[in-house]
Amino acid sequence: MFHILAADRVFILTGAGISAESGIPTFRGAGGLWRNYRSEEVASPHAWRRDPHLVWEFYSMRRRAAAEAKPNPGHLALAALEHTLHDRLFLCTQNVDNLHENAGSRRVVHMHGELFKSRCEDCDRPPFDDPNTYDPPAALPKCDCGGQIRPHVCWFGEVPYHVDEIFRALNECTIYIAIGTSGVVEPAASFVAHAHGPDRPGQGRAQTFYIGPEEPANSAAFTKCLLGKAGQLLPNLFLCD
Ligand code: APR
């Protein structure tokens, strides 16, 4: 059990593993999306330029799968933790699904974007809610300005969103917890080293924990890895002052 003291600030990073028990496939394990699709052909600026129909087909498939998924006890435990800690919890997710929000989390930082949002690639219209699917041979969606509408998702080779806000929170946290992420995709894979490292202005090192069924690639940077499924471990893990 984690004892969270009144002075603690908790940074939580979630990855695909937290949504696995809701039936959304992860990327790299058995049955992972990148076992069936080549990421550079469906999730990169190059793929978008070469075949936007294929990219929209991929994201339409993912929208359908995510629309059917329900939050699991792991998501619910993190929503309850936010209810107790308020702004002492910073919840950052690499996931583009909306299961944290559906569980009741109010302040979720989606560093890789949101599956149910789209944006225009040409004009500065902000990202907007878009639950639609665009499977070929349907026409590709267009903005009023004439530009192409694309998924509001960070592709390989693009810069993740909210990075300044994320590093501010990493500088301030006293407890860092990563859940269900394989620890291979940057910059998220290096957050633990930042939280635990000597570079933080005016702070000691945060305690760092990993939760998931297997050790991540960056396990050496964690104070401790708790091996098990998020939906089983998280509901009884936190004791807050
Ligand atoms: N509970 C917790 N963790 C789990 C569970 C579970 N029930 N089931 C699987 N996991 C773990 C796996 O052990 C694995 O370490 O979830 C992790 C999933 O790893 P990845 O598939 O690599 O997903 P993630 O780390 O989130 O990927 C990062 O890569 O392709 C990009 O943009 C995509 O955001 C994604 C990023």
Side-chain angles (χ1 to χ4, degrees):
M1 181 162 281
F2 291 138
H3 193 180
I4 298 173
L5 304 174
D8 280 323
R9 300 190 77 85
V10 181
F11 187 115
I12 293 185
L13 171 72
T14 62
I18 196 162
S19 295
E21 289 159 83
S22 295
I24 298 184
T26 61
F27 293 94
R28 292 175 182 78
L33 277 180
W34 298 152
R35 296 277 176 101
N36 297 311
Y37 295 87
R38 288 166 58 87
S39 57
E40 62 274 23
E41 286 177 6
V42 289
S44 71
H46 171 71
W48 179 244
R49 280 191 301 275
R50 205 185 55 183
D51 192 347
H53 287 279
L54 182 67
V55 173
W56 263 124
E57 188 176 15
F58 176 67
Y59 284 97
S60 296
M61 175 274 293
R62 291 184 61 191
R63 281 184 179 180
R64 275 191 291 276
E68 284 178 12
K70 302 266 181 298
N72 68 54
H75 298 106
L76 294 168
L78 297 186
L81 188 63
E82 181 189 278
H83 195 71
T84 306
L85 296 182
H86 305 283
D87 64 356
R88 291 194 294 128
L89 174 68
F90 189 91
L91 177 57
C92 175
T93 187
Q94 295 167 93
N95 300 344
V96 295
D97 67 53
N98 56 3
L99 295 182
H100 282 306
E101 286 87 348
N102 290 352
S105 289
R106 292 283 160 260
R107 288 174 295 107
V108 187
V109 174
H110 282 272
M111 63 178 292
H112 291 166
E114 295 181 65
L115 188 55
F116 294 106
K117 287 190 177 174
S118 298
R119 69 173 195 260
C120 176
E121 65 172 358
D122 285 344
C123 73
D124 53 9
R125 171 185 179 187
F128 56 93
D129 292 338
D130 183 8
N132 299 319
T133 53
Y134 305 102
D135 291 293
L140 293 170
K142 289 261 187 201
C143 181
D144 292 345
C145 79
Q148 297 248 35
I149 298 290
R150 60 164 275 179
H152 180 50
V153 166
C154 176
W155 289 325
F156 286 95
E158 294 186 322
V159 179
Y161 314 123
H162 311 295
V163 171
D164 290 348
E165 188 187 351
I166 288 168
F167 274 91
R168 268 198 303 278
L170 282 170
N171 282 339
E172 289 174 356
C173 72
T174 57
I175 299 175
Y176 174 90
I177 305 171
I179 303 166
T181 174
S182 55
V184 296
V185 174
E186 295 293 354
S190 295
F191 289 173
V192 57
H194 188 88
H196 193 58
D199 304 336
R200 301 198 313 167
Q203 295 281 343
R205 293 167 186 257
Q207 299 180 73
T208 57
F209 302 96
Y210 179 78
I211 296 165
E214 58 203 353
E215 292 206 352
N218 55 355
S219 64
F222 288 92
T223 314
K224 192 169 180 187
C225 294
L226 304 180
L227 298 188
K229 292 184 173 183
Q232 290 171 2
L233 292 181
L234 288 175
N236 300 309
L237 204 57
F238 303 109
L239 177 67
C240 301
D241 273 2

mmCIF file of all heavy atoms in Angstrom, residues 14-18 20-21 26-29 34 94-95 112 154 156 179-185 210-216 228-231, ligand 1:
data_model
loop_
_atom_site.group_PDB
_atom_site.id
_atom_site.type_symbol
_atom_site.label_atom_id
_atom_site.label_comp_id
_atom_site.label_asym_id
_atom_site.label_seq_id
_atom_site.Cartn_x
_atom_site.Cartn_y
_atom_site.Cartn_z
ATOM 1 N N THR A 14 0.033 6.951 -17.151
ATOM 2 C CA THR A 14 -0.567 5.680 -17.562
ATOM 3 C C THR A 14 -0.240 5.393 -19.023
ATOM 4 O O THR A 14 -0.020 6.293 -19.829
ATOM 5 C CB THR A 14 -2.097 5.657 -17.359
ATOM 6 O OG1 THR A 14 -2.714 6.664 -18.163
ATOM 7 C CG2 THR A 14 -2.474 5.845 -15.906
ATOM 8 N N GLY A 15 -0.226 4.097 -19.320
ATOM 9 C CA GLY A 15 -0.021 3.641 -20.696
ATOM 10 C C GLY A 15 -1.108 2.657 -21.073
ATOM 11 O O GLY A 15 -2.070 2.434 -20.309
ATOM 12 N N ALA A 16 -0.923 2.039 -22.224
ATOM 13 C CA ALA A 16 -1.968 1.176 -22.781
ATOM 14 C C ALA A 16 -2.407 0.080 -21.819
ATOM 15 O O ALA A 16 -3.557 -0.367 -21.863
ATOM 16 C CB ALA A 16 -1.456 0.558 -24.076
ATOM 17 N N GLY A 17 -1.492 -0.340 -20.914
ATOM 18 C CA GLY A 17 -1.827 -1.441 -20.004
ATOM 19 C C GLY A 17 -3.006 -1.148 -19.103
ATOM 20 O O GLY A 17 -3.732 -2.076 -18.716
ATOM 21 N N ILE A 18 -3.234 0.128 -18.770
ATOM 22 C CA ILE A 18 -4.350 0.387 -17.852
ATOM 23 C C ILE A 18 -5.690 0.152 -18.546
ATOM 24 O O ILE A 18 -6.691 -0.148 -17.894
ATOM 25 C CB ILE A 18 -4.290 1.793 -17.209
ATOM 26 C CG1 ILE A 18 -5.241 1.806 -15.993
ATOM 27 C CG2 ILE A 18 -4.629 2.897 -18.205
ATOM 28 C CD1 ILE A 18 -5.037 2.885 -15.009
ATOM 29 N N ALA A 20 -6.062 -2.243 -20.877
ATOM 30 C CA ALA A 20 -6.081 -3.621 -21.408
ATOM 31 C C ALA A 20 -7.264 -4.403 -20.820
ATOM 32 O O ALA A 20 -7.938 -5.152 -21.537
ATOM 33 C CB ALA A 20 -4.762 -4.317 -21.091
ATOM 34 N N GLU A 21 -7.509 -4.224 -19.517
ATOM 35 C CA GLU A 21 -8.607 -4.973 -18.890
ATOM 36 C C GLU A 21 -9.981 -4.439 -19.318
ATOM 37 O O GLU A 21 -11.001 -5.031 -18.978
ATOM 38 C CB GLU A 21 -8.451 -4.941 -17.369
ATOM 39 C CG GLU A 21 -7.293 -5.791 -16.882
ATOM 40 C CD GLU A 21 -6.827 -5.383 -15.498
ATOM 41 O OE1 GLU A 21 -7.432 -5.815 -14.513
ATOM 42 O OE2 GLU A 21 -5.849 -4.604 -15.414
ATOM 43 N N THR A 26 -3.187 -3.376 -26.270
ATOM 44 C CA THR A 26 -1.964 -2.590 -26.078
ATOM 45 C C THR A 26 -1.244 -2.530 -27.438
ATOM 46 O O THR A 26 -1.785 -2.969 -28.452
ATOM 47 C CB THR A 26 -1.062 -3.242 -25.012
ATOM 48 O OG1 THR A 26 -0.699 -4.540 -25.463
ATOM 49 C CG2 THR A 26 -1.782 -3.321 -23.665
ATOM 50 N N PHE A 27 -0.046 -1.969 -27.442
ATOM 51 C CA PHE A 27 0.678 -1.806 -28.709
ATOM 52 C C PHE A 27 1.700 -2.917 -28.953
ATOM 53 O O PHE A 27 1.866 -3.380 -30.062
ATOM 54 C CB PHE A 27 1.394 -0.440 -28.746
ATOM 55 C CG PHE A 27 0.411 0.680 -28.780
ATOM 56 C CD1 PHE A 27 -0.001 1.306 -27.618
ATOM 57 C CD2 PHE A 27 -0.142 1.077 -29.988
ATOM 58 C CE1 PHE A 27 -0.941 2.328 -27.648
ATOM 59 C CE2 PHE A 27 -1.082 2.092 -30.028
ATOM 60 C CZ PHE A 27 -1.480 2.714 -28.853
ATOM 61 N N ARG A 28 2.409 -3.338 -27.885
ATOM 62 C CA ARG A 28 3.594 -4.172 -28.130
ATOM 63 C C ARG A 28 3.513 -5.607 -27.622
ATOM 64 O O ARG A 28 4.260 -6.444 -28.093
ATOM 65 C CB ARG A 28 4.829 -3.492 -27.515
ATOM 66 C CG ARG A 28 5.141 -2.225 -28.268
ATOM 67 C CD ARG A 28 6.251 -1.400 -27.723
ATOM 68 N NE ARG A 28 6.369 -0.213 -28.548
ATOM 69 C CZ ARG A 28 5.567 0.851 -28.465
ATOM 70 N NH1 ARG A 28 4.614 0.903 -27.537
ATOM 71 N NH2 ARG A 28 5.702 1.866 -29.295
ATOM 72 N N GLY A 29 2.627 -5.929 -26.708
ATOM 73 C CA GLY A 29 2.601 -7.301 -26.194
ATOM 74 C C GLY A 29 1.906 -8.248 -27.171
ATOM 75 O O GLY A 29 1.621 -7.884 -28.316
ATOM 76 N N TRP A 34 0.733 -3.109 -32.742
ATOM 77 C CA TRP A 34 1.906 -3.051 -33.641
ATOM 78 C C TRP A 34 2.372 -4.441 -34.070
ATOM 79 O O TRP A 34 3.352 -4.580 -34.784
ATOM 80 C CB TRP A 34 3.046 -2.246 -33.022
ATOM 81 C CG TRP A 34 2.745 -0.798 -32.737
ATOM 82 C CD1 TRP A 34 3.330 -0.048 -31.752
ATOM 83 C CD2 TRP A 34 1.848 0.100 -33.426
ATOM 84 N NE1 TRP A 34 2.840 1.242 -31.776
ATOM 85 C CE2 TRP A 34 1.924 1.358 -32.790
ATOM 86 C CE3 TRP A 34 0.965 -0.031 -34.500
ATOM 87 C CZ2 TRP A 34 1.179 2.467 -33.184
ATOM 88 C CZ3 TRP A 34 0.204 1.068 -34.891
ATOM 89 C CH2 TRP A 34 0.320 2.297 -34.243
ATOM 90 N N GLN A 94 -0.600 8.443 -21.787
ATOM 91 C CA GLN A 94 -0.182 8.285 -23.196
ATOM 92 C C GLN A 94 -1.353 7.767 -24.014
ATOM 93 O O GLN A 94 -1.272 7.687 -25.229
ATOM 94 C CB GLN A 94 0.969 7.281 -23.293
ATOM 95 C CG GLN A 94 2.242 7.736 -22.614
ATOM 96 C CD GLN A 94 3.218 6.567 -22.472
ATOM 97 O OE1 GLN A 94 4.066 6.360 -23.336
ATOM 98 N NE2 GLN A 94 3.106 5.822 -21.404
ATOM 99 N N ASN A 95 -2.431 7.393 -23.337
ATOM 100 C CA ASN A 95 -3.558 6.779 -24.046
ATOM 101 C C ASN A 95 -4.417 7.839 -24.709
ATOM 102 O O ASN A 95 -4.631 8.922 -24.163
ATOM 103 C CB ASN A 95 -4.421 5.955 -23.085
ATOM 104 C CG ASN A 95 -3.616 4.844 -22.447
ATOM 105 O OD1 ASN A 95 -2.534 4.511 -22.935
ATOM 106 N ND2 ASN A 95 -4.130 4.286 -21.372
ATOM 107 N N HIS A 112 -0.470 12.258 -25.844
ATOM 108 C CA HIS A 112 -0.497 11.765 -27.227
ATOM 109 C C HIS A 112 -1.818 12.063 -27.927
ATOM 110 O O HIS A 112 -2.136 11.448 -28.942
ATOM 111 C CB HIS A 112 -0.217 10.246 -27.262
ATOM 112 C CG HIS A 112 1.192 9.890 -26.902
ATOM 113 N ND1 HIS A 112 1.609 8.611 -26.590
ATOM 114 C CD2 HIS A 112 2.305 10.672 -26.802
ATOM 115 C CE1 HIS A 112 2.910 8.625 -26.322
ATOM 116 N NE2 HIS A 112 3.348 9.858 -26.424
ATOM 117 N N CYS A 154 -0.917 12.300 -31.575
ATOM 118 C CA CYS A 154 0.505 12.539 -31.831
ATOM 119 C C CYS A 154 1.100 11.316 -32.510
ATOM 120 O O CYS A 154 1.139 10.235 -31.930
ATOM 121 C CB CYS A 154 1.209 12.809 -30.491
ATOM 122 S SG CYS A 154 2.978 13.015 -30.630
ATOM 123 N N PHE A 156 4.193 9.134 -34.644
ATOM 124 C CA PHE A 156 5.636 8.945 -34.554
ATOM 125 C C PHE A 156 6.328 10.062 -35.331
ATOM 126 O O PHE A 156 5.934 10.368 -36.463
ATOM 127 C CB PHE A 156 6.034 7.569 -35.097
ATOM 128 C CG PHE A 156 5.671 6.470 -34.152
ATOM 129 C CD1 PHE A 156 4.479 5.775 -34.295
ATOM 130 C CD2 PHE A 156 6.496 6.167 -33.077
ATOM 131 C CE1 PHE A 156 4.129 4.780 -33.397
ATOM 132 C CE2 PHE A 156 6.153 5.167 -32.178
ATOM 133 C CZ PHE A 156 4.968 4.478 -32.340
ATOM 134 N N ILE A 179 2.107 3.336 -14.787
ATOM 135 C CA ILE A 179 1.197 2.184 -14.787
ATOM 136 C C ILE A 179 0.996 1.699 -16.222
ATOM 137 O O ILE A 179 0.580 2.470 -17.092
ATOM 138 C CB ILE A 179 -0.175 2.579 -14.197
ATOM 139 C CG1 ILE A 179 -0.021 3.151 -12.782
ATOM 140 C CG2 ILE A 179 -1.132 1.372 -14.190
ATOM 141 C CD1 ILE A 179 -1.271 3.863 -12.260
ATOM 142 N N GLY A 180 1.309 0.433 -16.460
ATOM 143 C CA GLY A 180 0.957 -0.196 -17.728
ATOM 144 C C GLY A 180 1.585 0.432 -18.956
ATOM 145 O O GLY A 180 0.916 0.634 -19.964
ATOM 146 N N THR A 181 2.875 0.708 -18.882
ATOM 147 C CA THR A 181 3.572 1.257 -20.063
ATOM 148 C C THR A 181 4.926 0.575 -20.187
ATOM 149 O O THR A 181 5.629 0.384 -19.183
ATOM 150 C CB THR A 181 3.702 2.796 -19.994
ATOM 151 O OG1 THR A 181 4.496 3.245 -21.083
ATOM 152 C CG2 THR A 181 4.279 3.288 -18.680
ATOM 153 N N SER A 182 5.282 0.186 -21.428
ATOM 154 C CA SER A 182 6.457 -0.669 -21.606
ATOM 155 C C SER A 182 7.775 0.076 -21.442
ATOM 156 O O SER A 182 8.834 -0.531 -21.422
ATOM 157 C CB SER A 182 6.394 -1.352 -22.976
ATOM 158 O OG SER A 182 6.247 -0.388 -23.987
ATOM 159 N N GLY A 183 7.730 1.411 -21.354
ATOM 160 C CA GLY A 183 8.943 2.176 -21.072
ATOM 161 C C GLY A 183 9.911 2.250 -22.240
ATOM 162 O O GLY A 183 11.127 2.359 -22.043
ATOM 163 N N VAL A 184 9.377 2.225 -23.463
ATOM 164 C CA VAL A 184 10.265 2.318 -24.627
ATOM 165 C C VAL A 184 10.026 3.570 -25.465
ATOM 166 O O VAL A 184 10.854 3.911 -26.312
ATOM 167 C CB VAL A 184 10.159 1.071 -25.549
ATOM 168 C CG1 VAL A 184 10.629 -0.172 -24.815
ATOM 169 C CG2 VAL A 184 8.765 0.874 -26.088
ATOM 170 N N VAL A 185 8.891 4.250 -25.298
ATOM 171 C CA VAL A 185 8.578 5.403 -26.148
ATOM 172 C C VAL A 185 8.924 6.705 -25.410
ATOM 173 O O VAL A 185 8.465 6.942 -24.296
ATOM 174 C CB VAL A 185 7.094 5.391 -26.569
ATOM 175 C CG1 VAL A 185 6.731 6.662 -27.328
ATOM 176 C CG2 VAL A 185 6.814 4.180 -27.457
ATOM 177 N N TYR A 210 6.521 1.416 -10.354
ATOM 178 C CA TYR A 210 5.889 0.918 -11.584
ATOM 179 C C TYR A 210 4.860 -0.140 -11.221
ATOM 180 O O TYR A 210 5.094 -0.982 -10.348
ATOM 181 C CB TYR A 210 6.929 0.304 -12.539
ATOM 182 C CG TYR A 210 6.246 -0.211 -13.783
ATOM 183 C CD1 TYR A 210 5.846 0.669 -14.780
ATOM 184 C CD2 TYR A 210 5.919 -1.567 -13.928
ATOM 185 C CE1 TYR A 210 5.149 0.220 -15.898
ATOM 186 C CE2 TYR A 210 5.232 -2.026 -15.039
ATOM 187 C CZ TYR A 210 4.843 -1.125 -16.018
ATOM 188 O OH TYR A 210 4.138 -1.552 -17.113
ATOM 189 N N ILE A 211 3.723 -0.107 -11.924
ATOM 190 C CA ILE A 211 2.667 -1.106 -11.711
ATOM 191 C C ILE A 211 2.292 -1.725 -13.057
ATOM 192 O O ILE A 211 1.899 -1.011 -13.997
ATOM 193 C CB ILE A 211 1.431 -0.450 -11.068
ATOM 194 C CG1 ILE A 211 1.800 0.063 -9.673
ATOM 195 C CG2 ILE A 211 0.264 -1.444 -10.987
ATOM 196 C CD1 ILE A 211 0.801 1.017 -9.098
ATOM 197 N N GLY A 212 2.412 -3.023 -13.141
ATOM 198 C CA GLY A 212 2.057 -3.733 -14.377
ATOM 199 C C GLY A 212 2.477 -5.182 -14.238
ATOM 200 O O GLY A 212 3.228 -5.531 -13.327
ATOM 201 N N PRO A 213 2.011 -6.029 -15.153
ATOM 202 C CA PRO A 213 2.284 -7.462 -14.999
ATOM 203 C C PRO A 213 3.728 -7.867 -15.281
ATOM 204 O O PRO A 213 4.151 -8.939 -14.881
ATOM 205 C CB PRO A 213 1.333 -8.124 -15.998
ATOM 206 C CG PRO A 213 0.920 -7.066 -16.938
ATOM 207 C CD PRO A 213 1.091 -5.750 -16.250
ATOM 208 N N GLU A 214 4.475 -7.011 -15.994
ATOM 209 C CA GLU A 214 5.886 -7.349 -16.244
ATOM 210 C C GLU A 214 6.735 -6.098 -16.110
ATOM 211 O O GLU A 214 6.234 -4.981 -16.245
ATOM 212 C CB GLU A 214 6.049 -7.964 -17.642
ATOM 213 C CG GLU A 214 5.564 -7.038 -18.736
ATOM 214 C CD GLU A 214 5.196 -7.761 -20.028
ATOM 215 O OE1 GLU A 214 5.437 -8.972 -20.134
ATOM 216 O OE2 GLU A 214 4.671 -7.082 -20.933
ATOM 217 N N GLU A 215 8.037 -6.307 -15.834
ATOM 218 C CA GLU A 215 8.922 -5.150 -15.658
ATOM 219 C C GLU A 215 9.057 -4.396 -16.976
ATOM 220 O O GLU A 215 9.219 -5.005 -18.032
ATOM 221 C CB GLU A 215 10.298 -5.611 -15.185
ATOM 222 C CG GLU A 215 10.252 -6.159 -13.777
ATOM 223 C CD GLU A 215 11.577 -6.032 -13.047
ATOM 224 O OE1 GLU A 215 12.581 -5.654 -13.682
ATOM 225 O OE2 GLU A 215 11.588 -6.300 -11.833
ATOM 226 N N PRO A 216 9.001 -3.059 -16.939
ATOM 227 C CA PRO A 216 9.177 -2.284 -18.172
ATOM 228 C C PRO A 216 10.658 -2.221 -18.564
ATOM 229 O O PRO A 216 11.528 -2.579 -17.769
ATOM 230 C CB PRO A 216 8.659 -0.898 -17.779
ATOM 231 C CG PRO A 216 8.934 -0.813 -16.312
ATOM 232 C CD PRO A 216 8.782 -2.202 -15.765
ATOM 233 N N GLY A 228 1.701 -6.943 -11.358
ATOM 234 C CA GLY A 228 0.307 -7.387 -11.305
ATOM 235 C C GLY A 228 -0.515 -6.512 -12.227
ATOM 236 O O GLY A 228 -0.018 -5.521 -12.787
ATOM 237 N N LYS A 229 -1.768 -6.896 -12.422
ATOM 238 C CA LYS A 229 -2.637 -6.115 -13.303
ATOM 239 C C LYS A 229 -3.126 -4.851 -12.601
ATOM 240 O O LYS A 229 -3.457 -4.889 -11.404
ATOM 241 C CB LYS A 229 -3.842 -6.959 -13.714
ATOM 242 C CG LYS A 229 -3.478 -8.109 -14.613
ATOM 243 C CD LYS A 229 -4.719 -8.843 -15.055
ATOM 244 C CE LYS A 229 -4.354 -9.879 -16.101
ATOM 245 N NZ LYS A 229 -5.492 -10.589 -16.639
ATOM 246 N N ALA A 230 -3.222 -3.769 -13.355
ATOM 247 C CA ALA A 230 -3.646 -2.483 -12.779
ATOM 248 C C ALA A 230 -5.025 -2.602 -12.130
ATOM 249 O O ALA A 230 -5.254 -2.071 -11.039
ATOM 250 C CB ALA A 230 -3.662 -1.416 -13.874
ATOM 251 N N GLY A 231 -5.931 -3.286 -12.789
ATOM 252 C CA GLY A 231 -7.300 -3.378 -12.279
ATOM 253 C C GLY A 231 -7.395 -4.155 -10.987
ATOM 254 O O GLY A 231 -8.367 -4.017 -10.226
HETATM 255 N N1 APR B 1 -2.330 -3.766 -16.139
HETATM 256 C C1 APR B 1 -1.179 -3.039 -16.225
HETATM 257 N N2 APR B 1 -0.313 -3.144 -17.236
HETATM 258 C C2 APR B 1 -0.602 -4.009 -18.225
HETATM 259 C C3 APR B 1 -1.781 -4.790 -18.222
HETATM 260 C C4 APR B 1 -2.656 -4.648 -17.122
HETATM 261 N N3 APR B 1 -3.783 -5.357 -17.012
HETATM 262 N N4 APR B 1 -1.774 -5.541 -19.344
HETATM 263 C C5 APR B 1 -0.641 -5.234 -20.024
HETATM 264 N N5 APR B 1 0.075 -4.315 -19.340
HETATM 265 C C6 APR B 1 1.358 -3.715 -19.686
HETATM 266 C C7 APR B 1 2.299 -4.558 -20.521
HETATM 267 O O1 APR B 1 3.058 -5.395 -19.671
HETATM 268 C C8 APR B 1 3.156 -3.524 -21.220
HETATM 269 O O2 APR B 1 4.322 -3.260 -20.480
HETATM 270 O O3 APR B 1 1.104 -2.571 -20.471
HETATM 271 C C9 APR B 1 2.277 -2.263 -21.221
HETATM 272 C C10 APR B 1 1.831 -1.820 -22.592
HETATM 273 O O4 APR B 1 2.934 -1.421 -23.349
HETATM 274 P P1 APR B 1 2.786 -0.818 -24.806
HETATM 275 O O5 APR B 1 1.888 -1.677 -25.611
HETATM 276 O O6 APR B 1 4.150 -0.575 -25.329
HETATM 277 O O7 APR B 1 1.998 0.562 -24.564
HETATM 278 P P2 APR B 1 2.562 1.984 -24.106
HETATM 279 O O8 APR B 1 3.794 1.842 -23.278
HETATM 280 O O9 APR B 1 1.426 2.736 -23.548
HETATM 281 O O10 APR B 1 2.968 2.602 -25.511
HETATM 282 C C11 APR B 1 3.441 3.924 -25.540
HETATM 283 O O11 APR B 1 3.568 3.844 -27.916
HETATM 284 O O12 APR B 1 2.826 3.380 -30.057
HETATM 285 C C12 APR B 1 2.877 4.312 -29.052
HETATM 286 O O13 APR B 1 1.511 6.173 -28.982
HETATM 287 C C13 APR B 1 1.530 4.819 -28.614
HETATM 288 O O14 APR B 1 0.980 5.784 -26.455
HETATM 289 C C14 APR B 1 1.577 4.676 -27.102
HETATM 290 C C15 APR B 1 3.068 4.583 -26.824
#
